[in-house]
Amino acid sequence: MKIKWTLWLGFILSLSALAQSLETTLRGVSLAEAQARLEAAVGAQGLKVARTLNLGGQVKNFKADFPDYLLMVLEPEAGVLAAVEENLMSAIILPPTIYVHAARPGMVTVGTFDPDLMFAMLGVKNTKSRLLGAKLKAIIASLGLPRKVAPAMIPDPSSGMMPAMMYKVEGGSVDELTLLIESELGNNGLNVLPSVRMGEVVGIQPCKSEWAYQMFMTQPAGGFAAPCRFFVAPVPGGVLVGAIEPMLMGIMPGVAQNQATMGMLQEARRVMSQILEGVGGQPYRPGQ
């Protein structure tokens, strides 16, 4: 299992051609009809939906003006396992989520992460993962004309920001740390879905209504990174625990200009880092 990181500068030059999200819109259909079409498209590519989260129903209990919004998380397959093996940080977006929402009047939007950018950014080049990326693009294209949601701003290469926050816990076991993180997430008010095994790596998928409301009301295309991803993996001498870097979402269109959303991302980062430190984690960077 490897951990590698292609510097932001490596994909800044390709911002015009790549995107964080790849999506399409369906007109004249209900959310249920769009979901049925999507499930058929997923099956046609030989992939399976592991679970569907009714995010809209959950968040509307917090704020009634949130749109209908579904998150369909796919089952781990060979491309997922190969990506996580090639670069552990791939677990921040895997297994893939396909989002379905009615945030725009009169249409339903379906999307997922753009594998061309995200796999390139994470240095994932193996054939199985590239095939998974091709299947994700084919799913979106089969439903309508694909549209790329490109980053709205260029990250500062000198910032040192990585796509994942990572901490090493000396000793311990993957199962023990998984239970500890899940418990801490619950104590901090997050709903936690059943964990997902990707080879030796365990993925944890929590969600918090307040965070989801603020993020997706500002930029609904951010659903490719939901539910929030934590991961636990064995490494020599202990366990590596980590989570997606929330500030990664700050480069999406409209996010950096929204003070409330940026404040939410900063709060999420604080809570997530406290959880990872609270289970005994010490900050870790690739090559350390």
Side-chain angles (χ1 to χ4, degrees):
M1 190 179 304
K2 302 175 183 176
I3 307 170
K4 52 186 177 179
W5 172 224
T6 302
L7 293 176
W8 285 115
L9 192 58
F11 77 94
I12 287 172
L13 300 177
S14 302
L15 284 177
S16 61
L18 302 177
Q20 282 175 289
S21 290
L22 188 65
E23 61 181 31
T24 190
T25 53
L26 289 74
R27 299 178 183 274
V29 300
S30 67
L31 194 77
E33 290 171 327
Q35 180 182 356
R37 290 190 192 181
L38 173 56
E39 289 173 346
V42 169
Q45 293 298 322
L47 302 175
K48 296 180 181 179
V49 177
R51 59 174 63 112
T52 299
L53 174 63
N54 183 1
L55 184 67
Q58 175 183 317
V59 179
K60 283 178 183 179
N61 292 324
F62 168 68
K63 287 276 192 176
D65 60 337
F66 194 72
D68 292 333
Y69 203 120
L70 302 177
L71 299 173
M72 298 173 65
V73 183
L74 303 187
E75 287 188 2
E77 45 72 76
V80 169
L81 302 184
V84 173
E85 179 67 26
E86 187 170 1
N87 187 356
L88 173 58
M89 285 194 287
S90 300
I92 65 168
I93 53 169
L94 296 174
T97 293
I98 304 177
Y99 57 84
V100 186
H101 68 72
R104 297 176 189 166
M107 64 184 73
V108 176
T109 302
V110 179
T112 189
F113 69 83
D114 179 1
D116 291 338
L117 180 139
M118 300 306 278
F119 282 160
M121 182 180 74
L122 292 162
V124 173
K125 302 175 182 179
N126 72 82
T127 302
K128 292 178 181 178
S129 298
R130 289 210 310 261
L131 178 59
L132 170 61
K135 289 180 177 180
L136 292 174
K137 291 192 289 184
I139 289 169
I140 300 302
S142 72
L143 298 173
L145 184 66
R147 181 178 78 93
K148 295 183 176 183
V149 182
M153 60 181 289
I154 297 175
D156 180 3
S158 66
S159 68
M161 184 171 69
M162 297 192 302
M165 303 184 296
M166 293 187 292
Y167 296 78
K168 185 176 180 180
V169 182
E170 298 291 340
S173 69
V174 169
D175 290 341
E176 175 190 10
L177 268 298
T178 298
L179 291 174
L180 284 173
I181 291 172
E182 289 176 336
S183 176
E184 285 301 310
L185 287 166
N187 291 340
N188 281 273
L190 281 80
N191 298 321
V192 185
L193 299 175
S195 60
V196 178
R197 284 205 170 264
M198 297 172 281
E200 294 184 306
V201 180
V202 174
I204 304 171
Q205 300 178 356
C207 186
K208 188 167 186 175
S209 295
E210 293 88 340
W211 295 352
Y213 177 85
Q214 189 61 57
M215 179 66 210
F216 300 137
M217 290 295 283
T218 301
Q219 180 47 264
F224 74 88
C228 181
R229 301 297 209 282
F230 282 67
F231 58 86
V232 185
V235 294
V239 175
L240 203 65
V241 296
I244 187 170
E245 168 57 75
M247 304 313 295
L248 186 65
M249 309 306 291
I251 66 174
M252 296 199 76
V255 176
Q257 293 75 33
N258 189 307
Q259 262 190 326
T261 304
M262 290 300 291
M264 177 277 296
L265 292 174
Q266 290 165 353
E267 178 200 359
R269 191 182 199 284
R270 177 185 59 79
V271 171
M272 292 161 67
S273 61
Q274 283 181 350
I275 288 172
L276 295 173
E277 292 171 0
V279 299
Q282 296 294 321
Y284 179 89
R285 291 184 70 86
Q288 184 174 321

